[in-house]
Amino acid sequence: MLDLGLEVLSKGNNMLRLLGGLWVALKISLLSVGISIALGILLGALMTWKNPVTKAILRVYLEFIRIMPQLVLLFLVYFGTTKAFGWDLTGEMAAIIVFVLWGTAEMSDLVRGALISIPRHQYESSEALGLTREQIYFYIIIPQALRRLIPLSINLITRMIKTTSLILMIGVVEILKVAQQIIEANRMSSPNAAFGIYLTVFILYFIACWPISMIAKHLERKWR
Amino acid sequence: MAEPILALKNVTKHFGENTVLDDIDLSVHQGEVIVIVGPSGCGKSTLLRCVNALEPIQGGEIYLNDEKIDIKSKKLANLRQKIGMVFQSYELFPHLTVLENIVLAPTKVQKRKKEEVQQEALALLGRVGLLGKEGSYARQLSGGQKQRVAIVRALCMHPEILLFDEVTAALDPEMVREVLDVMLNLAAQGRTMIIVTHEMQFAKAVADRIIFLDGGKVLEDTKPEVFFEAPKTERARQFLSMFEFNVVKSQVEKVSS
């Protein structure tokens, strides 16, 4: 039989270590997602304001974050701030900061898009029915904006989970790093472990992200 | 004559440099059906929108039962409940069912009991031939059905006056009739209505008074018989002639024979 090196998984607590690594990745991404959604909604709502100064500042922030590769941002926050300001950030902390900066920027743009996509007539016909400003937002605008937002933001969440694989570059021991360690340690006894272990990592990422995109698909169909 | 329900006094409206409504005086009495006609861009839709304070006015006053309609007033939402408006593009709320669309404002704005409003809504849906559609969403309805729901939604607020802003303009011809029939019924019930429309036959049938608006001014304010048979102004004659077609076929035949 083809040797995929899968037996390495059952050695010691290797599988548990991989799952632990997955948990680190998920913990960082879910924490960042939570904070990003809250801040993103706030900034997104601010972006629909007519104030040109707030608009310009938020625009620059969004473009800056979008253009920067996430890895560069990670290096900038992890290594750069240590040198420049003497901050002693842990790798996880630096990762969360970068992911929140990134997630907030993308989320705010999604929120802005969802809010401005509600036609002006929806406001007018609600006004004509005598609804107050608060009622219009609560019963008409926000429910419609959320329906447009959820599939898009779920896409962002899965992207954030996947991108956590970069944080091994700043020394965080997440799933990919654990995988590398296991492969290194078994280089002599199971030279084929690379395939089996990375395959397992792939499957674990899939198991983590697939249900989330299924939810998105389901909601999209339901709210079409 | 009794006091008017709605009175516009010297209403003036500008969009930038453009004067869209120029010194409009208009009073509407209980039970009257007023049809506003005029060429595109003459200000007829804007006039309706000003009545409902969807557009600010730059001069003059609008009164509903002696209460001034002021876009900045705290009581505006209160006044708007008494004015039902139906738009050209239906504007149902897409995330709510037909019944939820109708019941939302009466329960949230007027704080009426849900069961009572739902019963009324179902009765009204029955009257416009839409019983059984209460659980549907707007995207599942035809244009004519959506517009009838929008009319029921306005009616369920028990408005004192109804405004119709070109409500059949976006509809396919076979659906125009079903909506106009609903409006004719409302007129027969003695509802007070202001209707902006391009359907001249309908205007002739439903109107107590025709207002001809051009360039933001009321050029004619008269009975439909008078307006359609013997308009006073040259502009109105020109406007009405656009709805007539001379028979060209026989002339072509004559030339060819």
Side-chain angles (χ1 to χ4, degrees), chain A residues 3 18 23 30 33 94-95 103 107 137 150 181-182 186 205 208 212:
Chain A
D3 180 12
L18 272 183
W23 170 241
L30 294 182
V33 162
M107 190 68 198
Y137 273 96
I150 284 179
Q181 289 171 347
I182 294 172
N186 294 282
Y205 268 121
I212 300 177

Side-chain angles (χ1 to χ4, degrees), chain A:
Chain A
M1 203 191 123
L2 188 66
D3 180 12
L4 297 180
L6 283 170
E7 78 285 353
V8 176
L9 281 176
S10 52
K11 264 195 212 162
N13 54 0
N14 279 351
M15 189 62 204
L16 267 182
R17 284 177 62 204
L18 272 183
L19 286 175
L22 180 67
W23 170 241
V24 171
L26 286 181
K27 190 179 66 185
I28 290 174
S29 40
L30 294 182
L31 252 173
S32 314
V33 162
I35 303 171
S36 299
I37 287 179
L39 290 177
I41 288 175
L42 200 73
L43 290 195
L46 280 181
M47 278 167 123
T48 62
W49 284 16
K50 295 204 174 67
N51 186 332
V53 181
T54 19
K55 244 183 174 167
I57 294 173
L58 291 171
R59 202 73 227 163
V60 169
Y61 162 62
L62 176 64
E63 291 303 325
F64 177 77
I65 297 286
R66 266 203 188 145
I67 289 165
M68 283 276 256
Q70 277 86 35
L71 190 56
V72 178
L73 267 179
L74 281 170
F75 285 168
L76 187 70
V77 171
Y78 185 63
F79 300 116
T81 58
T82 315
K83 292 281 176 203
F85 313 113
W87 293 354
D88 184 18
L89 294 172
T90 64
E92 288 194 16
M93 196 61 206
I96 290 175
I97 290 173
V98 167
F99 277 76
V100 164
L101 279 174
W102 172 40
T104 302
E106 297 252 356
M107 190 68 198
S108 67
D109 202 37
L110 296 180
V111 170
R112 184 191 65 91
L115 281 176
I116 62 171
S117 72
I118 309 291
R120 192 175 55 109
H121 273 123
Q122 288 283 308
Y123 292 85
E124 286 185 347
S125 61
S126 326
E127 278 176 37
L129 285 167
L131 273 77
T132 61
R133 214 182 144 72
E134 295 75 28
Q135 285 174 327
I136 295 175
Y137 273 96
F138 190 75
Y139 293 113
I140 308 299
I141 305 305
I142 293 176
Q144 289 186 55
L146 273 184
R147 279 166 168 73
R148 289 170 198 217
L149 193 60
I150 284 179
L152 299 171
S153 48
I154 284 179
N155 178 293
L156 174 64
I157 292 170
T158 51
R159 265 161 58 219
M160 283 172 81
I161 293 176
K162 285 186 291 188
T163 313
T164 52
S165 56
L166 290 179
I167 63 180
L168 72 94
M169 305 294 286
I170 57 169
V172 179
V173 184
E174 45 67 79
I175 180 165
L176 205 56
K177 188 71 198 171
V178 175
Q180 285 183 347
Q181 289 171 347
I182 294 172
I183 293 162
E184 280 299 310
N186 294 282
R187 165 152 291 171
M188 292 305 166
S189 55
S190 313
N192 283 346
F195 191 84
I197 297 292
Y198 283 137
L199 183 70
T200 312
V201 169
F202 167 81
I203 291 169
L204 287 177
Y205 268 121
F206 182 79
I207 291 173
C209 293
W210 192 60
I212 300 177
S213 32
M214 287 320 282
I215 295 172
K217 260 213 192 98
H218 171 74
L219 289 178
E220 231 168 318
R221 236 189 331 236
K222 188 173 157 201
W223 286 340
R224 181 174 43 96

Side-chain angles (χ1 to χ4, degrees), chain B residues 26-92:
Chain B
L26 176 66
S27 31
V28 182
H29 292 84
Q30 174 75 45
E32 243 184 332
V33 177
I34 300 211
V35 175
I36 304 178
V37 298
S40 311
C42 70
K44 40 193 201 304
S45 287
T46 309
L47 182 64
L48 283 194
R49 293 167 59 80
C50 289
V51 169
N52 214 349
L54 289 175
E55 298 281 353
I57 52 176
Q58 277 79 43
E61 283 139 9
I62 302 175
Y63 292 92
L64 182 73
N65 293 328
D66 295 330
E67 262 192 280
K68 190 172 169 188
I69 295 179
D70 180 356
I71 206 158
K72 292 185 202 82
S73 154
K74 287 221 173 66
K75 286 194 292 185
L76 183 60
N78 229 335
L79 276 170
R80 274 175 170 159
Q81 294 172 38
K82 300 176 186 163
I83 307 173
M85 182 148 184
V86 185
F87 298 85
Q88 178 181 338
S89 47
Y90 338 116
E91 295 310 329
L92 298 182

Side-chain angles (χ1 to χ4, degrees), chain B residues 31-213:
Chain B
E32 243 184 332
V33 177
I34 300 211
V35 175
I36 304 178
V37 298
S40 311
C42 70
K44 40 193 201 304
S45 287
T46 309
L47 182 64
L48 283 194
R49 293 167 59 80
C50 289
V51 169
N52 214 349
L54 289 175
E55 298 281 353
I57 52 176
Q58 277 79 43
E61 283 139 9
I62 302 175
Y63 292 92
L64 182 73
N65 293 328
D66 295 330
E67 262 192 280
K68 190 172 169 188
I69 295 179
D70 180 356
I71 206 158
K72 292 185 202 82
S73 154
K74 287 221 173 66
K75 286 194 292 185
L76 183 60
N78 229 335
L79 276 170
R80 274 175 170 159
Q81 294 172 38
K82 300 176 186 163
I83 307 173
M85 182 148 184
V86 185
F87 298 85
Q88 178 181 338
S89 47
Y90 338 116
E91 295 310 329
L92 298 182
F93 305 127
H95 62 299
L96 301 178
T97 62
V98 165
L99 192 61
E100 288 166 340
N101 259 282
I102 301 169
V103 169
L104 178 75
T107 51
K108 302 303 176 196
V109 178
Q110 297 177 327
K111 313 280 182 214
R112 281 153 61 195
K113 282 220 182 62
K114 198 167 179 187
E115 296 75 42
E116 172 228 318
V117 182
Q118 277 182 343
Q119 264 179 12
E120 186 185 352
L122 290 173
L124 285 168
L125 281 174
R127 286 237 292 268
V128 300
L130 286 177
L131 209 55
K133 293 288 184 193
E134 59 274 10
S136 306
Y137 288 90
R139 60 175 181 273
Q140 300 163 319
L141 303 178
S142 73
Q145 291 172 329
K146 281 188 244 190
Q147 202 55 290
R148 283 181 282 159
V149 172
I151 293 174
V152 169
R153 183 171 72 177
L155 284 177
C156 222
M157 290 292 282
H158 303 159
E160 294 179 22
I161 183 164
L162 283 163
L163 312 178
F164 293 90
D165 186 7
E166 299 196 35
V167 292
T168 58
L171 295 178
D172 289 339
E174 68 266 31
M175 290 170 186
V176 169
R177 186 65 203 224
E178 62 190 45
V179 173
L180 295 183
D181 279 342
V182 169
M183 291 163 72
L184 284 168
N185 263 326
L186 292 174
Q189 290 164 27
R191 297 266 182 182
T192 314
M193 319 203 276
I194 305 181
I195 301 168
V196 168
T197 185
H198 286 293
E199 304 281 341
M200 290 304 144
Q201 294 299 322
F202 170 67
K204 207 186 279 188
V206 79
D208 294 316
R209 256 163 78 201
I210 299 268
I211 308 278
F212 176 66
L213 213 60

